[in-house]
Amino acid sequence: MTTAHAPRTALRPAWSLTWLHARYQFLETTRVPIAVLGNMLFPGLALLFFIVPQSAVADDPVAATAAVAQLGTFAIMSACMFTHGAGVAEDRAKPFDTYVRTLPARPAPRLAGRVLNGLLWAYLSLVPLVLAGVLLTAATLSPLQVLGAVAMVVGVAVPFTLLGLAIGYGLSVKAALAVVQATLFPLAFAGGLFMPPQFFPGWLDAVSQWLPSRAARDLVVQVTTGEPAGALALPVLIGWTLAFAALAAWALRNDEGRRFH
């Protein structure tokens, strides 16, 4: 007796699965409005409290643009590290994540959807900051600088997305949240995102130039104001990106082996 086999159902294309995962994760994020508001409002509030009252900075087009660029770099870092660090760790603790990983689709669309969602939140986190900068300071950009700034969002997001993924796949929820906070703010302070590095003491300025946050800050300021970045900025950012990519790959493989061996 022969048994008839039912025809296999074809998987959806990779781009369709990527969009499906990105849409699901975006909607999942919006279910916690306070987290969304906190991520979007903090850089704008920092501009209102620390930059706008200082007329010497707020009324100077170059200084005001550099201040908005610095806080914008922080907004991107924060969105990427919280979305992929604490967010991935939280998802791993849910039974639904385990179920999704047993489905026949490869992990690439799920990972691409997560990265796409993080990029979208990175752009959204800049909206209140840019509006405050345009309306309340002398910050200004030419059309070419606007295009450069939009492209730099991706350039800044990539290394910190990889760092967030390494934290999210390597640690538990409680540990990931603490590590993200303990990593984000020291990198931001030492990278000149809250205070221009021109005011740093010599030893801190020397250390700062080897940090990914300082390299990202210098490149964003160069694109938006024309102020030249240091010679180390680009190679340092590329080097940290490769290091974070290796760390993220190790954390992901370690998580697969630990939970799905």
Side-chain angles (χ1 to χ4, degrees):
M1 188 175 76
T2 60
T3 303
H5 295 280
R8 287 186 174 184
T9 303
L11 292 177
R12 298 171 69 169
W15 66 266
S16 178
L17 288 173
T18 298
W19 175 247
L20 182 65
H21 281 289
R23 189 176 61 177
Y24 156 70
Q25 288 162 12
F26 181 84
L27 293 176
E28 185 72 10
T29 305
T30 59
R31 291 180 176 177
V32 188
I34 189 63
V36 175
L37 290 175
N39 188 48
M40 292 182 66
L41 292 182
F42 180 79
L45 291 176
L47 186 80
L48 286 177
F49 290 136
F50 300 114
I51 303 299
V52 172
Q54 302 183 54
S55 57
V57 178
D59 296 340
D60 183 308
V62 175
T65 304
V68 173
Q70 291 172 181
L71 290 172
T73 304
F74 173 78
I76 299 167
M77 286 176 54
S78 176
C80 292
M81 292 184 66
F82 275 105
T83 300
H84 300 294
V88 168
E90 184 180 1
D91 287 348
R92 287 172 51 236
K94 297 178 180 176
F96 184 69
D97 184 72
T98 304
Y99 166 71
V100 170
R101 293 171 75 162
T102 63
L103 297 177
R106 292 183 177 277
R110 182 161 50 90
L111 193 59
R114 189 179 293 282
V115 172
L116 191 61
N117 178 53
L119 271 178
L120 181 57
W121 284 111
Y123 279 109
L124 290 176
S125 69
L126 294 174
V127 173
L129 173 67
V130 172
L131 287 176
V134 170
L135 297 175
L136 302 176
T137 74
T140 182
L141 292 176
S142 67
L144 188 60
Q145 288 172 325
V146 170
L147 292 177
V150 170
M152 279 304 300
V153 172
V154 179
V156 175
V158 168
F160 295 102
T161 292
L162 293 168
L163 176 59
L165 291 173
I167 294 171
Y169 281 112
L171 300 173
S172 64
V173 180
K174 291 181 180 178
L177 186 59
V179 169
V180 166
Q181 292 175 330
T183 306
L184 174 64
F185 288 99
L187 278 178
F189 279 109
L193 304 186
F194 297 143
M195 177 188 294
Q198 292 83 352
F199 295 102
F200 284 178
W203 66 268
L204 181 56
D205 185 49
V207 172
S208 173
Q209 294 185 37
W210 293 95
L211 297 177
S213 50
R214 172 66 182 276
R217 177 260 174 205
D218 286 355
L219 292 172
V220 173
V221 169
Q222 179 178 0
V223 168
T224 53
T225 69
E227 181 182 331
L232 289 175
L234 186 58
V236 164
L237 190 62
I238 293 174
W240 278 108
T241 300
L242 295 175
F244 291 153
L247 189 61
W250 174 82
L252 179 59
R253 289 186 178 182
N254 191 47
D255 181 60
E256 293 279 356
R258 185 172 61 246
R259 302 175 64 206
F260 298 95
H261 64 278

